[in-house]
Amino acid sequence: MARKPIGTGPARPYPARSGRMTALLAAGATFGGFLLVALIAIWAVLYAPGPSARSGDTTIVTLPSGAGVNAIGAQLKASGVIRSTDLFRAAASLTGADRRLRAGEYEVPSGTSLSGVIALLVDGKVVRRFVTLPEGWSSAQAVDILNAETLLTGTIETTPDEGSLWPETYEISRGASRQSVIDRMRRARDDNLARLWAQRGPGSVVRSPEEAMILASIVEKETGVASERPRVAAVFSNRLRSGMRLESDPTIVYGITQGRPLGRGIRASELAASTPYNTYQIDGLPPTPISNPGAASIAAVLNPPRTRDIFFVADGTGGHVFAETYEQHLANVARWRAIERQRAGLPPEAVAPVAPGISPVPNASPDSAATAPDAYVVPPGAKVIRVPQAAPAQ
């Protein structure tokens, strides 16, 4: 029998295979359509503009520490920065952000997308707020500063002891208690004072950290020029060392106001008044600090330079001019009074006035002169703080 040539018979159709291919293509097209729709929906959920702020350009949201993703979502929705707690939870879970959300206070711009809100919380871009206690401010003023800060809560139990707070800028969070900030200021003062006291030098006249704070507080109030603090500290150290009174105007003011601004000049009656803080009338240091001094003033009294200066007065430029003798000081005072007269538009005077509260040091008794540094003359009966060191360099 002859063989039938290959390819000469009728073609065989494959309907089953063709149908499956058509079905697969149709299913793929449908899935692709669904996928496209899903991607568009996801994009719309994550990246479309979010709700507008209820007022202004931003919304403040505070997320407490330890809050879970559900609680965070509820807080965000209640604040009006997201539309759905469920969508927030799903988006956070989908992106893995649910385990990285950070507590804090956030400032969310109006219309921020859900993705943008999640990014803020993951990056921890919290609103940073600060409160500052300036150097030389009193504890009463520190309480005023914290009471005026509306973000803080609660009351301060008692006004802290003078000199017990550390002047610094502190970061605060909305809702923190005022007392907690005071406690932080106290701890910072204790830590820094311990560090500085350990670095004191042999030339320091103070005998305890408490005395260091008292003298440093006076130095802090006497000059706002940082470079002058060591020299002012040296003047007061020299006075204490020789038995002279400190004669510091800020101590008079503190005795009157207990740490608040006086708002006027010192009266002659106040200069002569006998108070525990009037260093024109008392020997040695006052009973407490008169402010909360900063690190520079404390370091200055713990390591004062070796000088013979015992006077200083304003120089007309914001600083002071120093003198070793009373005669030099009178000449410096005369120049300052001339500047004052010129600024006031008054005619020049022939005789320079004597600075208030300054009087020539009386002659010393033989005993006191023998025990004091030979650069100074000690008034009779003056209290002298002794330190085991040589006299200042000649």
Side-chain angles (χ1 to χ4, degrees):
M1 179 181 294
R3 294 182 178 180
K4 186 182 292 185
I6 297 175
T8 59
R12 293 182 179 180
Y14 300 95
R17 181 180 299 177
S18 176
R20 286 195 298 273
M21 183 63 68
T22 301
L24 287 174
L25 291 174
T30 301
F31 177 76
F34 280 126
L35 181 61
L36 179 61
V37 171
L39 290 175
I40 292 174
I42 292 173
W43 184 92
V45 168
L46 288 176
Y47 300 104
S52 299
R54 292 168 179 170
S55 63
D57 297 326
T58 61
T59 300
I60 299 296
V61 182
T62 302
L63 304 179
S65 178
V69 65
N70 289 335
I72 291 175
Q75 180 65 42
L76 294 173
K77 187 174 187 303
S79 300
V81 298
I82 64 172
R83 293 189 173 90
S84 168
T85 301
D86 293 335
L87 288 176
F88 170 79
R89 183 172 59 249
S93 177
L94 179 66
T95 59
D98 53 343
R99 298 180 298 275
R100 296 181 289 138
L101 303 177
R102 302 184 185 183
E105 182 181 349
Y106 292 88
E107 191 173 59
V108 184
S110 179
T112 300
S113 66
L114 181 58
S115 175
V117 172
I118 292 174
L120 276 175
L121 273 54
V122 169
D123 294 340
K125 295 180 179 179
V126 297
V127 178
R128 302 188 68 187
R129 302 186 185 276
F130 302 89
V131 63
T132 299
L133 174 61
E135 295 177 345
W137 282 43
S138 68
S139 293
Q141 289 174 303
V143 173
D144 291 342
I145 291 170
L146 297 182
N147 283 338
E149 182 50 72
T150 57
L151 297 177
L152 299 175
T153 61
T155 59
I156 296 170
E157 298 166 3
T158 58
T159 300
D161 292 339
E162 204 65 75
S164 66
L165 307 179
W166 188 250
E168 184 62 89
T169 296
Y170 296 85
E171 186 166 2
I172 59 173
S173 58
R174 183 184 295 271
S177 71
R178 293 179 175 87
Q179 186 61 47
S180 69
V181 181
I182 286 289
D183 293 340
R184 288 166 58 194
M185 291 178 174
R186 280 199 182 107
R187 289 193 296 271
R189 198 295 306 241
D190 293 346
D191 292 343
N192 283 285
L193 178 57
R195 173 180 57 82
L196 292 167
W197 179 255
Q199 300 170 5
R200 70 189 184 281
S204 178
V205 74
V206 296
R207 300 161 296 184
S208 67
E210 292 72 27
E211 286 189 351
M213 292 302 294
I214 295 172
L215 187 55
S217 72
I218 299 173
V219 171
E220 190 76 64
K221 297 296 288 186
E222 281 285 1
T223 179
V225 180
S227 60
E228 284 189 350
R229 288 172 185 146
R231 199 164 182 184
V232 171
V235 167
F236 288 138
S237 296
N238 290 340
R239 286 189 166 220
L240 288 170
R241 193 176 288 115
S242 67
M244 291 179 64
R245 288 175 174 168
L246 294 181
E247 297 186 343
S248 169
D249 290 354
T251 63
I252 299 176
V253 174
Y254 189 85
I256 300 169
T257 69
Q258 297 300 299
R260 298 189 186 280
L262 183 59
R264 55 171 174 79
I266 298 173
R267 299 182 178 127
S269 59
E270 293 165 341
L271 192 69
S274 179
T275 76
Y277 290 91
N278 186 350
T279 53
Y280 283 88
Q281 302 299 325
I282 66 169
D283 297 318
L285 298 169
T288 71
I290 63 170
S291 70
N292 290 285
S297 293
I298 299 172
V301 303
L302 293 176
N303 292 275
R306 295 165 64 87
T307 75
R308 295 166 58 93
D309 297 328
I310 52 175
F311 298 101
F312 61 91
V313 71
D315 63 2
T317 67
H320 296 83
V321 60
F322 297 80
E324 298 180 8
T325 68
Y326 183 65
E327 290 73 21
Q328 293 172 348
H329 179 59
L330 286 181
N332 293 335
V333 169
R335 281 190 290 271
W336 167 238
R337 295 304 184 208
I339 293 172
E340 287 185 315
R341 289 192 297 271
Q342 182 180 20
R343 290 177 176 176
L346 299 175
E349 298 176 6
V351 180
V354 176
I358 302 295
S359 59
V361 178
N363 293 328
S365 65
D367 290 341
S368 61
T371 57
D374 58 5
Y376 314 110
V377 179
V378 181
K383 295 179 181 178
V384 180
I385 296 178
R386 306 293 181 193
V387 290
Q389 66 175 77
Q394 300 294 320

